[in-house]
Amino acid sequence: MGAVLRNPKVWIVLLCLLPLVRLIVLGVGGGLGANPIEFITHSTGTWTLVGLLVILSVTPLRQLTGRADLVRYRRMLGLFTFFYACLHFVTYLWLDQFFDPAAIARDIVKRPFITVGFTAFVLLIPLAATSTHAMMRRLGRRWQLLHRLIYLIAVLGIIHYLWLVKKDLTDPLVYGGVLVLLLGLRLPLGVALLRAIRGRWVPAGS
Ligand code: HEM
């Protein structure tokens, strides 16, 4: 038991399941508010976006801490993000559109924020499908190129959010700011900054 609890993957799985458990507990207890569909859509959408940002923070965190093993958790984070994106999409298909293919197709074409969200979701599918080690080996360099789609997906996620908000843009702008920061930290200047910060913390040679 002790060994299980010392495994960071166990804690990450438990943490990633929390939003789902929260929705179930609130759902069973009638705590989803006056509009449960809206509540579930907003919650799953938010956690998909948070997941994307967490995935994008792995590389800067690795550079900052020098812990190469952080990459090992990225695949699991990616799959949980895809899971929440699926819940988000299924909530829309089922509770918002009642699985009506014509209404869904119309909505995807007509409402720009749905078009963008749908594009982001479709782009996530090949990333989830190729997330295994076997696929990584099989695709080689092409795997890395394919998985760069994560940047575009995150940008589309922010545009989707900005477009759907009617009045107060604060939340999507804050998420957008975090994304700009995380992308900036991948540029040469950002990498140099992270190295400089790490250099101050960690004595040379360690
Ligand atoms: C990577 C893909 C996606 C991300 C990151 C994402 C993210 C979000 C976020 C952050 C919200 C707002 C949450 C809030 O207000 O607190 C949201 C709302 C919403 N999303 Fe998505 N979404 C994605 C894909 C989709 C897809 C594929 C659809 C449907 C085709 C969709 C339909 C909606 C709808 C209907 C809302 C609520 C709009 C409203 O309140 O009027 N999203 N999404």
Side-chain angles (χ1 to χ4, degrees), residues 34-199:
N35 190 342
I37 301 171
E38 197 178 285
F39 192 103
I40 299 171
T41 312
H42 285 197
S43 171
T44 49
T46 302
W47 286 109
T48 305
L49 192 55
V50 169
L52 290 169
L53 296 177
V54 170
I55 294 167
L56 287 174
S57 62
V58 170
T59 298
L61 267 178
R62 205 185 59 190
Q63 269 150 0
L64 196 64
T65 59
R67 285 194 50 179
D69 63 316
L70 289 180
V71 182
R72 277 199 272 144
Y73 310 116
R74 199 161 47 187
R75 179 169 160 249
M76 200 190 325
L77 291 168
L79 289 175
F80 267 108
T81 302
F82 184 62
F83 171 67
Y84 282 106
C86 289
L87 287 183
H88 187 57
F89 189 41
V90 169
T91 310
Y92 164 83
L93 294 181
W94 181 14
L95 303 173
D96 214 52
Q97 301 292 331
F98 311 108
F99 286 123
D100 176 350
I104 294 162
R106 240 189 344 262
D107 207 26
I108 290 175
V109 175
K110 271 206 171 155
R111 288 205 286 174
F113 89 88
I114 295 286
T115 317
V116 173
F118 182 71
T119 310
F121 180 73
V122 170
L123 292 177
L124 269 177
I125 297 171
L127 301 201
T130 58
S131 66
T132 60
H133 290 296
M135 271 307 210
M136 215 180 211
R137 274 193 302 274
R138 215 163 112 189
L139 293 176
R141 172 113 186 89
R142 281 174 300 158
W143 188 92
Q144 274 179 350
L145 286 175
L146 178 69
H147 280 250
R148 287 204 186 135
L149 278 177
I150 195 76
Y151 306 133
L152 176 61
I153 294 167
V155 170
L156 292 175
I158 297 292
I159 297 174
H160 170 70
Y161 199 178
L162 277 168
W163 232 330
L164 71 88
V165 167
K166 274 133 206 143
K167 279 181 281 197
D168 188 2
L169 290 176
T170 312
D171 285 350
L173 285 178
V174 168
Y175 283 101
V178 173
L179 177 62
V180 168
L181 177 74
L182 291 172
L183 294 181
L185 289 174
R186 289 173 145 75
L187 299 176
L189 195 65
V191 175
L193 180 73
L194 290 174
R195 286 217 180 106
I197 297 174
R198 182 167 143 70

